Amino acid sequence: MNVRMLDATDAQAYQALRLLALRESPAAFSSSHAEEAGRSLQQVAARITPAADGSCVLGRFEQDQLAGSLALRHPQRAKLRHGVELAGMYVAASFRRRDIGSELLQAAIVHARSLAGVRRIALGVNDTNAAAKALYRSAGFVSYGVEPQALQIDGRFHDVEHYVLPLQPIRVTRGDAQDFFRAR
Ligand SMILES: CC(C)(COP(=O)(O)OP(=O)(O)OC[C@H]1O[C@@H](n2cnc3c(N)ncnc32)[C@H](O)[C@@H]1OP(=O)(O)O)[C@@H](O)C(=O)NCCC(=O)NCCS
Protein backbone atom coordinates (compact mmCIF):
# COMPACT_ATOMS: atom_id res chain seq x y z
CA MET A 1 0.00 0.00 0.00
CA ASN A 2 1.66 3.25 -1.11
CA VAL A 3 -1.00 5.84 -0.27
CA ARG A 4 -2.59 5.81 3.15
CA MET A 5 -3.90 8.11 5.83
CA LEU A 6 -1.16 9.16 8.19
CA ASP A 7 -1.60 8.68 11.91
CA ALA A 8 0.19 9.70 15.09
CA THR A 9 3.00 7.21 14.47
CA ASP A 10 3.95 9.15 11.32
CA ALA A 11 4.46 12.45 13.16
CA GLN A 12 8.25 12.50 12.94
CA ALA A 13 8.40 11.58 9.23
CA TYR A 14 5.62 14.04 8.41
CA GLN A 15 7.25 16.93 10.27
CA ALA A 16 10.58 16.21 8.55
CA LEU A 17 8.87 16.26 5.12
CA ARG A 18 6.99 19.48 5.98
CA LEU A 19 10.18 21.21 7.10
CA LEU A 20 11.86 20.15 3.85
CA ALA A 21 8.87 21.47 1.87
CA LEU A 22 8.79 24.80 3.68
CA ARG A 23 12.53 25.32 3.33
CA GLU A 24 12.60 24.34 -0.34
CA SER A 25 9.31 25.88 -1.56
CA PRO A 26 8.26 28.61 0.90
CA ALA A 27 6.08 30.35 -1.68
CA ALA A 28 3.96 27.21 -2.22
CA PHE A 29 2.47 27.11 1.29
CA SER A 30 0.70 29.41 3.73
CA SER A 31 2.58 27.95 6.74
CA SER A 32 6.09 29.16 7.47
CA HIS A 33 9.16 27.05 8.29
CA ALA A 34 9.40 28.75 11.71
CA GLU A 35 5.76 27.92 12.52
CA GLU A 36 6.21 24.25 11.61
CA ALA A 37 9.56 23.98 13.42
CA GLY A 38 7.91 25.39 16.55
CA ARG A 39 5.42 22.51 16.77
CA SER A 40 6.11 19.66 19.16
CA LEU A 41 5.81 16.09 17.90
CA GLN A 42 2.67 15.74 20.03
CA GLN A 43 1.12 18.73 18.27
CA VAL A 44 2.05 17.31 14.87
CA ALA A 45 0.61 13.93 15.86
CA ALA A 46 -2.66 15.59 16.88
CA ARG A 47 -2.83 17.51 13.57
CA ILE A 48 -2.38 14.43 11.39
CA THR A 49 -4.54 11.95 13.31
CA PRO A 50 -7.58 11.23 11.11
CA ALA A 51 -10.66 13.01 12.47
CA ALA A 52 -14.22 11.73 12.76
CA ASP A 53 -15.33 14.40 10.23
CA GLY A 54 -13.08 12.85 7.56
CA SER A 55 -10.26 15.41 7.82
CA CYS A 56 -6.93 13.66 7.37
CA VAL A 57 -3.44 13.81 5.88
CA LEU A 58 -2.65 11.38 3.07
CA GLY A 59 0.88 10.09 2.66
CA ARG A 60 2.53 8.38 -0.30
CA PHE A 61 5.31 5.97 0.60
CA GLU A 62 8.23 4.67 -1.47
CA GLN A 63 9.89 1.71 0.23
CA ASP A 64 8.70 2.89 3.65
CA GLN A 65 9.94 6.42 3.05
CA LEU A 66 7.34 9.22 3.12
CA ALA A 67 7.73 10.71 -0.37
CA GLY A 68 4.74 13.04 -0.48
CA SER A 69 1.72 14.21 1.45
CA LEU A 70 -1.54 16.10 1.05
CA ALA A 71 -3.91 17.39 3.74
CA LEU A 72 -7.69 17.27 3.44
CA ARG A 73 -9.93 19.29 5.73
CA HIS A 74 -13.69 18.85 6.01
CA PRO A 75 -15.32 21.90 7.61
CA GLN A 76 -18.29 21.03 9.82
CA ARG A 77 -20.18 24.33 9.84
CA ALA A 78 -23.63 23.75 8.33
CA LYS A 79 -23.11 26.03 5.31
CA LEU A 80 -19.65 24.72 4.49
CA ARG A 81 -19.75 20.98 5.05
CA HIS A 82 -20.67 20.19 1.42
CA GLY A 83 -17.05 21.02 0.60
CA VAL A 84 -13.58 19.84 1.47
CA GLU A 85 -10.34 21.80 1.20
CA LEU A 86 -6.97 20.46 0.12
CA ALA A 87 -3.70 21.99 1.28
CA GLY A 88 -0.04 21.25 1.70
CA MET A 89 0.50 19.15 -1.44
CA TYR A 90 4.18 18.24 -1.52
CA VAL A 91 6.33 15.62 -3.23
CA ALA A 92 10.01 15.45 -2.26
CA ALA A 93 12.19 16.59 -5.18
CA SER A 94 13.79 13.20 -5.84
CA PHE A 95 10.35 11.58 -6.33
CA ARG A 96 8.80 14.10 -8.72
CA ARG A 97 7.32 13.40 -12.17
CA ARG A 98 6.47 9.82 -11.15
CA ASP A 99 2.73 10.41 -10.68
CA ILE A 100 2.99 10.66 -6.89
CA GLY A 101 1.24 14.06 -6.82
CA SER A 102 -1.48 12.63 -9.08
CA GLU A 103 -1.92 9.58 -6.86
CA LEU A 104 -2.24 11.72 -3.74
CA LEU A 105 -4.80 13.89 -5.51
CA GLN A 106 -6.80 10.87 -6.74
CA ALA A 107 -6.77 9.38 -3.24
CA ALA A 108 -8.05 12.70 -1.83
CA ILE A 109 -10.85 12.78 -4.43
CA VAL A 110 -11.88 9.19 -3.63
CA HIS A 111 -11.85 9.98 0.09
CA ALA A 112 -13.86 13.20 -0.41
CA ARG A 113 -16.45 11.27 -2.41
CA SER A 114 -16.84 8.84 0.48
CA LEU A 115 -17.88 11.66 2.83
CA ALA A 116 -21.66 12.07 2.95
CA GLY A 117 -22.95 15.23 1.30
CA VAL A 118 -19.62 16.44 -0.09
CA ARG A 119 -20.11 18.10 -3.50
CA ARG A 120 -16.94 20.11 -4.07
CA ILE A 121 -13.21 20.11 -3.43
CA ALA A 122 -11.43 23.46 -3.24
CA LEU A 123 -7.79 24.51 -3.08
CA GLY A 124 -5.56 27.51 -3.69
CA VAL A 125 -2.25 27.70 -5.57
CA ASN A 126 0.40 30.41 -5.74
CA ASP A 127 -0.37 32.02 -9.08
CA THR A 128 3.21 31.51 -10.28
CA ASN A 129 3.23 27.74 -9.55
CA ALA A 130 2.89 26.32 -13.07
CA ALA A 131 3.65 22.71 -12.05
CA ALA A 132 0.95 22.55 -9.37
CA LYS A 133 -1.61 24.28 -11.60
CA ALA A 134 -0.96 21.74 -14.35
CA LEU A 135 -1.37 18.91 -11.82
CA TYR A 136 -4.73 20.20 -10.56
CA ARG A 137 -6.03 20.95 -14.06
CA SER A 138 -5.06 17.45 -15.19
CA ALA A 139 -7.33 16.08 -12.42
CA GLY A 140 -10.27 18.21 -13.57
CA PHE A 141 -10.01 21.17 -11.20
CA VAL A 142 -11.17 24.47 -12.71
CA SER A 143 -9.94 27.93 -11.79
CA TYR A 144 -12.51 30.43 -10.55
CA GLY A 145 -10.37 33.43 -9.77
CA VAL A 146 -7.15 34.94 -8.53
CA GLU A 147 -6.92 36.51 -5.08
CA PRO A 148 -4.44 39.39 -5.19
CA GLN A 149 -1.78 39.61 -2.49
CA ALA A 150 -3.15 36.58 -0.61
CA LEU A 151 0.26 35.70 0.83
CA GLN A 152 3.04 37.90 2.15
CA ILE A 153 6.42 36.18 2.33
CA ASP A 154 9.53 38.08 3.39
CA GLY A 155 7.84 41.35 2.54
CA ARG A 156 6.76 40.25 -0.93
CA PHE A 157 3.13 39.71 -1.93
CA HIS A 158 1.94 36.63 -3.85
CA ASP A 159 -1.38 36.15 -5.64
CA VAL A 160 -3.25 32.86 -5.12
CA GLU A 161 -5.38 31.20 -7.81
CA HIS A 162 -8.40 29.31 -6.48
CA TYR A 163 -9.57 26.02 -7.97
CA VAL A 164 -12.62 23.85 -7.47
CA LEU A 165 -13.55 20.32 -8.52
CA PRO A 166 -17.33 19.82 -8.54
CA LEU A 167 -18.23 16.24 -7.59
CA GLN A 168 -21.06 14.43 -9.31
CA PRO A 169 -23.53 13.06 -6.78
CA ILE A 170 -22.38 9.44 -7.15
CA ARG A 171 -21.88 7.50 -3.98
CA VAL A 172 -18.54 6.09 -2.89
CA THR A 173 -18.74 4.21 0.37
CA ARG A 174 -16.13 4.20 3.10
CA GLY A 175 -15.50 0.57 2.09
CA ASP A 176 -14.75 1.62 -1.51
CA ALA A 177 -12.33 4.25 -0.24
CA GLN A 178 -10.59 1.71 2.01
CA ASP A 179 -10.28 -0.68 -0.96
CA PHE A 180 -8.75 2.16 -2.98
CA PHE A 181 -6.11 2.84 -0.32
CA ARG A 182 -5.39 -0.88 0.03
CA ALA A 183 -4.85 -1.14 -3.74
CA ARG A 184 -2.26 1.65 -3.86
C1 LIG B 1 3.55 20.17 -7.76
C2 LIG B 1 4.06 18.80 -7.28
C3 LIG B 1 3.24 18.38 -6.07
C4 LIG B 1 3.86 17.80 -8.43
O1 LIG B 1 4.16 16.49 -7.93
P1 LIG B 1 4.63 15.30 -8.91
O2 LIG B 1 4.55 14.05 -8.13
O3 LIG B 1 5.92 15.64 -9.53
O4 LIG B 1 3.47 15.35 -10.00
P2 LIG B 1 3.06 14.17 -11.00
O5 LIG B 1 4.25 13.37 -11.41
O6 LIG B 1 1.93 13.42 -10.40
O7 LIG B 1 2.56 15.02 -12.25
C5 LIG B 1 1.19 15.05 -12.65
C6 LIG B 1 0.98 16.14 -13.67
O8 LIG B 1 1.23 17.42 -13.08
C7 LIG B 1 1.88 18.28 -14.05
N1 LIG B 1 3.23 18.61 -13.58
C8 LIG B 1 3.89 18.11 -12.51
N2 LIG B 1 5.10 18.68 -12.40
C9 LIG B 1 5.21 19.55 -13.42
C10 LIG B 1 6.22 20.45 -13.84
N3 LIG B 1 7.39 20.57 -13.17
N4 LIG B 1 5.98 21.23 -14.91
C11 LIG B 1 4.84 21.13 -15.61
N5 LIG B 1 3.82 20.29 -15.27
C12 LIG B 1 4.02 19.52 -14.18
C13 LIG B 1 1.90 17.49 -15.35
O9 LIG B 1 0.68 17.76 -16.02
C14 LIG B 1 1.95 16.07 -14.84
O10 LIG B 1 1.49 15.13 -15.76
P3 LIG B 1 2.55 14.47 -16.79
O11 LIG B 1 3.69 13.96 -15.95
O12 LIG B 1 1.75 13.39 -17.45
O13 LIG B 1 2.99 15.58 -17.69
C15 LIG B 1 5.58 18.84 -6.94
O14 LIG B 1 6.28 19.42 -8.03
C16 LIG B 1 5.90 19.62 -5.69
O15 LIG B 1 5.83 19.10 -4.58
N6 LIG B 1 6.28 20.91 -5.84
C17 LIG B 1 6.70 21.75 -4.70
C18 LIG B 1 5.55 22.05 -3.75
C19 LIG B 1 4.34 22.60 -4.44
O16 LIG B 1 4.41 23.38 -5.37
N7 LIG B 1 3.16 22.16 -3.94
C20 LIG B 1 1.88 22.60 -4.45
C21 LIG B 1 1.22 23.51 -3.49
S1 LIG B 1 -0.36 24.09 -4.10
Side-chain angles (χ1 to χ4, degrees):
M1 175 179 31
N2 293 324
V3 178
R4 64 167 170 81
M5 283 183 205
L6 302 185
D7 62 30
T9 64
D10 300 302
Q12 200 159 17
Y14 178 68
Q15 189 177 41
L17 189 69
R18 283 288 289 167
L19 290 173
L20 184 67
L22 294 165
R23 195 167 43 242
E24 181 222 274
S25 309
F29 306 101
S30 53
S31 289
S32 74
H33 188 277
E35 284 162 350
E36 185 67 35
R39 291 199 175 105
S40 68
L41 271 188
Q42 287 75 11
Q43 288 171 318
V44 175
R47 282 168 70 89
I48 67 174
T49 297
D53 65 20
S55 299
C56 64
V57 178
L58 299 171
R60 169 66 155 79
F61 290 81
E62 281 286 323
Q63 291 168 353
D64 291 336
Q65 184 184 347
L66 184 60
S69 64
L70 173 63
L72 180 151
R73 198 173 75 86
H74 185 201
Q76 288 304 289
R77 293 172 64 199
K79 296 179 185 176
L80 297 177
R81 65 179 169 233
H82 63 293
V84 301
E85 296 154 11
L86 302 185
M89 166 71 89
Y90 182 71
V91 176
S94 56
F95 295 106
R96 286 185 194 154
R97 300 310 292 259
R98 293 203 232 155
D99 286 340
I100 291 181
S102 301
E103 287 186 22
L104 284 164
L105 202 49
Q106 289 308 318
I109 294 168
V110 169
H111 179 59
R113 284 189 186 282
S114 77
L115 302 174
V118 168
R119 292 286 175 270
R120 68 194 294 275
I121 306 177
L123 57 85
V125 191
N126 187 311
D127 198 27
T128 62
N129 193 341
K133 287 183 183 188
L135 168 63
Y136 300 131
R137 286 195 181 118
S138 72
F141 282 78
V142 289
S143 165
Y144 64 89
V146 175
E147 183 181 356
Q149 300 187 336
L151 300 175
Q152 186 179 16
I153 305 167
D154 295 333
R156 213 179 129 228
F157 292 106
H158 297 254
D159 299 346
V160 166
E161 185 164 31
H162 293 277
Y163 283 80
V164 67
L165 178 70
L167 299 179
Q168 300 302 319
I170 62 163
R171 291 297 329 133
V172 172
T173 65
R174 287 249 177 181
D176 291 336
Q178 280 157 7
D179 288 347
F180 178 87
F181 290 122
R182 262 195 293 274
R184 297 288 92 192

